[in-house]
Amino acid sequence: MEDLKRKLRKELFVSPFDKSEQKDCIHFLKTGSSDAILIESCGHFALVDAAEDNDNPRGFEELAFKGYEEEVLQYLKDNARSGDGRVHLDFILGTHSHSDHIGGFDTIILDDDVVIEKAFLKVYKEEQIRDKEITEWDNKEVYEQMVNALNIRNIPIISEMNGEPFMLGNFKITLFNTVDINTEKVGENDNSLGVLVEKKGARIFLSGDIDNKSKDEERLAPEIGEIDVLKVGHHSYRFSTEEKWLKTLRPKVCVVTNDYERCDMNTFERIEKILSCPILITGVENGIVVAVDDEGKVEYYNEIM
């Protein structure tokens, strides 16, 4: 296990990340087995997912996870504070209604030092979700907590998206999986948004928890095309990052938002076999920044938290 760990940690990283130096970059925070990703360009910021939270609204023992909402909030204040002393986010985006992705948003939204222009969040449709998630998980509760917080702050919610690109500073942003096409009950991962970030030919895809249970990877891969960096879907777990997906996207580097001990080694072996590309793990690297310079060159930093 340790030999594989050393093998996966390639010597990609340049000098320590200087948060005072403004870059066009994507910050992958260290938040256990959950996602919190800050996009930064030309003084503009956006937050994709906000990690697991400490709430357990249904009181289920198996849902009593460690939350990271305070760590995410502090990271924003340390790295995205504007001249007025407040954090200004052009947008926030919840990829889907699972607590390890949107659980921390209500804390961030309601903080007096955070200003948010708009939120991208698909409507959670419980009637389309498999029974297990309805009875044993807290999808509806975390979704309602986020929506209620947005309403309290009068932040517009964009729930219907057309996939048209838009700009965040120097980055072109395109959203994928914006329309629900499922005719049968699915898991909420099947509704996960993906975010393509582009600059000067560099292409980085944040795949949320997109998997292939409903053939989403096979459907979306040709639309996305080849990329430079892949945020591996669903923290590397089963049913994501399958062979056709990897062969179509062909990333040069994969980033996994997880602790090493919880990663799926079968997924790592598949990536290694098909691509032989570096795999960077947020829990190993203490967070990761992927930066794109003005020539489209991609650089990597670790030890950001």
Side-chain angles (χ1 to χ4, degrees):
M1 190 74 73
E2 285 302 310
D3 287 342
L4 179 58
K5 183 176 179 180
R6 285 193 294 271
K7 180 180 180 182
L8 296 174
R9 190 185 185 281
K10 305 294 176 76
E11 296 301 323
L12 278 182
F13 300 106
V14 295
S15 58
F17 182 67
D18 182 359
K19 62 185 179 184
S20 67
E21 183 181 351
Q22 193 173 88
K23 293 179 180 293
D24 295 330
C25 59
I26 303 175
H27 309 237
F28 297 88
L29 277 60
K30 178 185 177 181
T31 56
S33 304
S34 65
D35 275 16
I37 301 170
L38 178 67
I39 306 175
E40 171 185 2
S41 180
C42 294
H44 293 268
F45 294 89
L47 184 64
V48 176
D49 290 332
E52 185 65 77
D53 62 342
N54 284 300
D55 294 340
N56 185 2
R58 302 185 69 176
F60 292 157
E61 183 177 350
E62 59 271 24
L63 298 184
F65 302 119
K66 170 181 167 42
Y68 292 89
E69 60 266 67
E70 295 300 334
E71 287 92 333
V72 175
L73 181 59
Q74 190 59 54
Y75 191 89
L76 293 178
K77 292 181 178 181
D78 290 342
N79 292 273
R81 199 186 295 266
S82 299
D84 63 0
R86 307 176 81 187
V87 174
H88 291 261
L89 299 173
D90 287 29
F91 69 86
I92 60 174
L93 183 147
T95 55
H96 62 296
S97 294
H98 279 162
S99 65
D100 61 330
H101 289 259
I102 67 169
F105 266 128
D106 58 334
T107 297
I108 290 162
I109 294 164
L110 295 174
D111 190 276
D112 290 337
D113 290 329
V114 178
V115 180
I116 300 166
E117 290 188 14
K118 59 189 174 185
F120 293 99
L121 180 68
K122 292 166 73 173
V123 174
Y124 177 66
K125 300 175 182 178
E126 190 170 70
E127 69 276 8
Q128 296 180 1
I129 301 301
R130 294 190 185 105
D131 293 344
K132 178 179 175 63
E133 293 192 25
I134 295 172
T135 59
E136 299 180 23
W137 296 8
D138 56 3
N139 302 2
K140 181 180 178 181
E141 287 78 10
V142 295
Y143 170 78
E144 291 178 346
Q145 285 177 336
M146 182 176 176
V147 170
N148 289 340
L150 289 166
N151 289 336
I152 289 170
R153 291 297 195 193
N154 294 314
I155 299 168
I157 303 173
I158 300 172
S159 57
E160 294 186 4
M161 300 148 240
N162 58 16
E164 287 296 319
F166 59 93
M167 299 303 294
L168 179 79
N170 293 322
F171 281 138
K172 182 170 76 171
I173 309 291
T174 309
L175 306 183
F176 288 81
N177 210 29
T178 56
V179 179
D180 296 331
I181 63 170
N182 301 300
T183 58
E184 300 177 353
K185 286 194 171 187
V186 296
E188 180 63 6
N189 285 344
D190 293 283
N191 295 317
S192 182
L193 292 170
V195 183
L196 179 64
V197 183
E198 299 177 272
K199 177 190 171 185
K200 297 289 185 179
R203 311 180 82 236
I204 301 160
F205 190 68
L206 314 177
S207 53
D209 276 4
I210 291 171
D211 60 26
N212 208 39
K213 282 187 175 181
S214 295
K215 304 302 179 184
D216 287 335
E217 288 187 346
E218 292 183 21
R219 175 173 59 87
L220 292 170
E223 297 179 23
I224 299 164
E226 291 192 8
I227 59 175
D228 294 282
V229 182
L230 172 66
K231 198 292 292 189
V232 170
H234 200 201
H235 320 288
S236 81
Y237 301 147
R238 290 177 62 203
F239 307 114
S240 68
T241 323
E242 293 193 347
E243 182 175 348
K244 288 184 180 180
W245 175 257
L246 291 172
K247 287 184 174 180
T248 304
L249 269 57
R250 303 205 64 81
K252 300 177 180 68
V253 173
C254 290
V255 174
V256 178
T257 50
N258 208 340
D259 292 323
Y260 178 79
E261 294 75 15
R262 296 198 62 185
C263 291
D264 189 325
M265 293 300 115
N266 293 317
T267 299
F268 285 4
E269 289 169 5
R270 190 160 55 251
I271 293 170
E272 182 70 17
K273 177 181 178 181
I274 295 170
L275 303 172
S276 296
C277 75
I279 304 172
L280 310 178
I281 306 166
T282 53
V284 173
E285 305 300 345
N286 198 29
I288 297 162
V289 163
V290 177
V292 182
D293 70 13
D294 291 337
E295 304 300 321
K297 179 184 177 183
V298 182
E299 295 181 327
Y300 303 87
Y301 301 82
N302 61 356
E303 300 295 341
I304 68 170
M305 300 183 73

